[in-house]
Amino acid sequence: SQQGEEDPQALSIQEGENATMNCSYKTSINNLQWYRQNSGRGLVHLILIRSNEREKHSGRLRVTLDTSKKSSSLLITASRAADTASYFCATDEGAQKLVFGQGTRLTINP
Amino acid sequence: NAGVMQNPRHLVRRRGQEARLRCSPVKGHSHVYWYRQLPEEGLKFMVYLQKENIIDESGMPKERFSAEFPKEGPSILRIQQVVRGDSAAYFCASSPGQERALGYTFGSGTRLTVV
């Protein structure tokens, strides 16, 4: 089943600007994670937010979670060319498996 | 302390052949997961294994696909009689399994192309 849905599907901004990506999900969760995938590469874990947390920061990343709306956002501040990648949210669904959204393709223009 | 190792990185098979994808988890991790990613899409869960046991195979196609995680050696995802629609990137992840869906480490994937 498709749990997370990212919005927008693609985002193109200028270097230095902030990038915001959103994720919605359907069922109750224990935690929500964001991953980055560079073209043709594997996934890199960025940040995890638990269901009892509302906001979390890690460097230039800021994640929010609204369990009442079943949504999360990932903000990347002061974007760099190296941030160009696809970003996925993932939620736990029972046991141990993760359910991923379709991803947001972020392009940072120099 | 190596991460999850997948091999081969790229695999080309003709229709009807078998594909065997290997995954060595992080040392000490006893939980392995396989995911498939079609072009321009997210990862789709296939199967979750612990040593010698399949825990959840709800994402595995009913035919031609099988997975194992033996007591010794890597986890194997096996696709028999491959078809063009099997072309995708296959990712393996491992975790220590101590907390739900936490501590995942992903491999770099195997890109399967069926010609």
Side-chain angles (χ1 to χ4, degrees), chain B residues 5 7 21-25 32 34 51 68-76:
Chain B
M5 305 301 292
N7 66 81
L21 288 62
R22 294 175 183 77
C23 168
S24 296
V32 165
W34 286 93
K51 281 288 187 182
E68 63 177 10
F69 188 17
K71 187 176 180 181
E72 301 291 339
S75 175
I76 305 289

Side-chain angles (χ1 to χ4, degrees), chain B residues 30-56:
Chain B
S30 57
H31 298 238
V32 165
Y33 318 81
W34 286 93
Y35 289 80
R36 176 166 64 178
Q37 183 180 34
L38 296 171
E40 307 299 322
E41 293 190 9
L43 277 70
K44 296 289 195 295
F45 170 80
M46 298 182 75
V47 63
Y48 160 40
L49 310 102
Q50 292 181 28
K51 281 288 187 182
E52 300 185 275
N53 291 305
I54 295 174
I55 307 303
D56 181 350

Side-chain angles (χ1 to χ4, degrees), chain A residues 30 92-97, chain B residues 48 55-56 99-101:
Chain A
N30 291 291
D92 62 307
E93 182 176 291
Q96 293 274 344
K97 68 185 182 187
Chain B
Y48 160 40
I55 307 303
D56 181 350
E99 196 171 346
R100 284 172 56 162

Side-chain angles (χ1 to χ4, degrees), chain A residues 2 30-31 33 35 37 40-43 45 48 50 88 92-98 100-102 105, chain B residues 31 33 35 37 40-45 48 56 58 91 95 97 99-102 104 106-108 111:
Chain A
Q2 188 69 28
N30 291 291
N31 61 73
Q33 304 178 46
Y35 287 82
Q37 184 180 36
R41 306 294 293 274
L43 275 77
H45 181 264
L48 177 148
R50 295 179 185 273
F88 297 90
D92 62 307
E93 182 176 291
Q96 293 274 344
K97 68 185 182 187
L98 290 176
F100 287 83
Q102 297 282 73
R105 291 185 299 282
Chain B
H31 298 238
Y33 318 81
Y35 289 80
Q37 183 180 34
E40 307 299 322
E41 293 190 9
L43 277 70
K44 296 289 195 295
F45 170 80
Y48 160 40
D56 181 350
S58 57
F91 290 95
S95 79
E99 196 171 346
R100 284 172 56 162
L102 294 183
Y104 263 54
F106 276 91
S108 297
R111 278 148 189 85

